[in-house]
């Protein structure tokens, strides 16, 4: 797109600035004058569009205020102005350009458009004072009449030029990509959005030639057929909609595009070319995929939570029913196992509800930290003591090491919940006879807790997901290990609230898992 065309250049087949200069020369010769000049009204100024033998410095005065020109007299009165001597005629403004360049005589006629409206002036000038003869003024009048056609065509061209500038600016500003070709298939327009998206600043040649260099594939990953591009199909007369391509960017990312093609025809149906409109629908595609993921996650969540809720509720209900049907005279010792089983079901239900409430509170920002000075070493020792009975039941050895004290600032309740969740996870996934090692360490600024077990381990492809909510690995499902997949999710949230990090890696000594927690001592 060429936006550098001068405003005075006419459309193909019309008059140019050089033609306006020749017309000014003919008028000057007809009036036997030294100079000829043609001005058009441009707002409050007169704009020079053609001249012959102009004085030095006159050409640079492309636009001058109407009030400062002799031509302004013509525009104010609507009649010709004839001045035999500029210096003795008080109608001439003091700052008129004719005074500045030494011209002494002037004659000018109004130039009108086809409707009779004055649109400019046609003038001749000379250096010495002179009496203008009737045949000289007649020649000037004929020249002004001849300018009417010139002005009409110039105005039409300028209107077309403004419209083209408006169109080009509009197309360049669009975020939607637009490309167009002529009837021969040559590219005539590729807007900024499309050039930037395709990375092709230089656009030339035919549509097929351009398309061969585009990093496009079909959604299935197959190369595109340039001859089947919507733009070329539209050039053949088809109205094409909804063709999908994938754009492969240099940084390795992909964008999904929907392209529509439309033919451009004359009023009589003759093909003038075609236009293609390119819509980037990447975000819509991602939103659709996210919606599918959310739907799938919701279904999994409901199934999992339904199962985790149903199991303890069923246990509690069953044992309460047995208690209700038991003989009132039964010794208490016979009833205690049923009470204990109902209590275990109640505790499992309580833990699940608390975990769900915790997640909801974290998400809603309703879980403020209660920060205080604490001893991390003592907190970990207390958490190890709390889970010792569970470890003993599974015949697991739990070893703890580290300094006697390790002060830091944090939320005691949340950090206890964090360590307990990691220990519970280790106990759950370590078979009987295994070992769990808890190590506390630190520096002047950081505190670390490492929980290493000899359990089932986590496959490499599952490690990136262990902190995802409701994630349960394949082994968990195969062995029917109870749990909702929330413990490590909540642990990660607690660590992040303390401006720390938590990672899961394989046990580098034998099969198992290492959970590493690192916290700033003075956040």
């Amino acid at each position: 797109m060429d936006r550098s065309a001068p405003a005075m250049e006419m459309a193909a087949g019309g008059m140019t600035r050089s033609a306006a200069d020749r017309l000014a020369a003919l008028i000057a010769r007809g009036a036997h004058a030294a100079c000829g000049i043609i001005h058009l009204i441009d707002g409050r100024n007169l704009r020079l569009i053609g001249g012959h033998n102009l004085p030095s410095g006159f050409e640079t005065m492309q636009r001058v205020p109407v009030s400062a020109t002799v031509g302004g007299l013509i525009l104010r009165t609507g009649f010709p102005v004839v001045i035999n001597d500029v210096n003795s005629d008080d109608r001439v403004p003091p700052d008129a350009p004719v005074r500045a360049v030494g011209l002494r005589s002037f004659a000018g006629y109004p130039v009108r458009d086809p409707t009779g409206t004055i649109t400019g002036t046609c003038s001749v000038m000379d250096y010495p004072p002179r009496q203008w003869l009737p045949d000289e003024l007649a020649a000037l009048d004929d020249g002004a009449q001849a300018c009417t056609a010139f002005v009409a065509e110039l105005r039409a061209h300028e209107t077309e030029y403004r419209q083209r500038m408006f169109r080009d600016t509009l197309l360049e500003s669009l975020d939607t990509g637009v490309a167009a070709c002529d009837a021969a298939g040559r590219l005539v327009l590729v807007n900024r959005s499309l050039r930037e998206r395709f990375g092709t600043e230089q656009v030339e040649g035919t549509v097929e030639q351009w398309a061969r260099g585009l990093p496009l594939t079909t959604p299935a990953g197959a190369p595109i057929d340039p001859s089947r591009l919507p733009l070329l199909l539209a050039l053949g007369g088809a109205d094409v909609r909804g063709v999908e391509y994938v754009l492969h960017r240099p940084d390795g990312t992909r964008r999904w595009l929907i392209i529509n093609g439309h033919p451009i025809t004359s009023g009589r149906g003759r093909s003038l070319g075609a236009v293609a409109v390119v819509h980037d629908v990447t975000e819509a595609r991602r939103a659709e995929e996210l919606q599918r993921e959310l739907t799938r996650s919701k279904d999994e969540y409901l199934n999992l939570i339904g199962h985790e809720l149903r199991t303890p509720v069923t246990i509690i209900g069953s044992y309460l029913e047995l208690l209700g049907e038991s003989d009132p005279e039964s010794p208490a010792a016979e009833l205690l196992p049923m009470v204990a089983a109902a209590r275990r079901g109640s505790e499992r239900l309580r833990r699940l509800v608390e975990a769900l409430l915790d997640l909801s509170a974290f998400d809603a920002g309703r879980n403020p930290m209660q920060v205080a000075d604490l001893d991390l070493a003592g907190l970990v020792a207390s958490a190890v003591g709390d889970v010792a009975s569970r470890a003993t039941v599974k015949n697991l050895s739990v070893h703890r090491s580290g300094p006697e004290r390790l002060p830091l600032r944090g939320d005691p309740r949340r950090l206890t919940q964090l360590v307990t969740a990691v220990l519970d996870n280790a106990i759950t996934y370590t078979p009987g006879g295994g070992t769990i090692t808890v190590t506390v360490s630190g520096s002047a600024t950081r505190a670390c807790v490492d929980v290493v077990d000899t359990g089932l381990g986590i496959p490499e492809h599952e490690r990136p997901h262990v902190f995802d909510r409701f994630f349960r690995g394949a082994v968990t499902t195969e062995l029917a290990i109870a749990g909702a997949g929330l413990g490590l999710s909540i642990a990660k949230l607690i660590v992040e609230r303390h401006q720390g990090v938590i990672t899961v890696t394989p046990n580098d000594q034998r099969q198992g898992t290492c959970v590493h927690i690192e916290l700033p001592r003075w956040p």
Side-chain angles (χ1 to χ4, degrees), residues 320-361:
L320 288 177
E321 187 175 342
L322 288 174
L323 285 170
E325 294 174 356
S326 62
D327 187 344
E329 302 298 327
S330 300
E334 295 181 4
L335 303 178
L336 287 178
M338 290 184 284
V339 173
R343 183 180 293 113
R344 288 193 298 272
S346 173
E347 178 62 20
R348 180 175 172 181
L349 184 61
R350 181 188 64 79
R351 288 199 302 269
L352 175 60
V353 171
E354 285 183 350
L356 291 172
L357 291 175
D358 266 344
L359 277 178
S360 176

Side-chain angles (χ1 to χ4, degrees), residues 168-179:
D168 290 350
T169 302
L170 176 63
L171 290 174
E172 286 291 288
S173 66
L174 289 176
D175 289 332
T176 300
V178 180

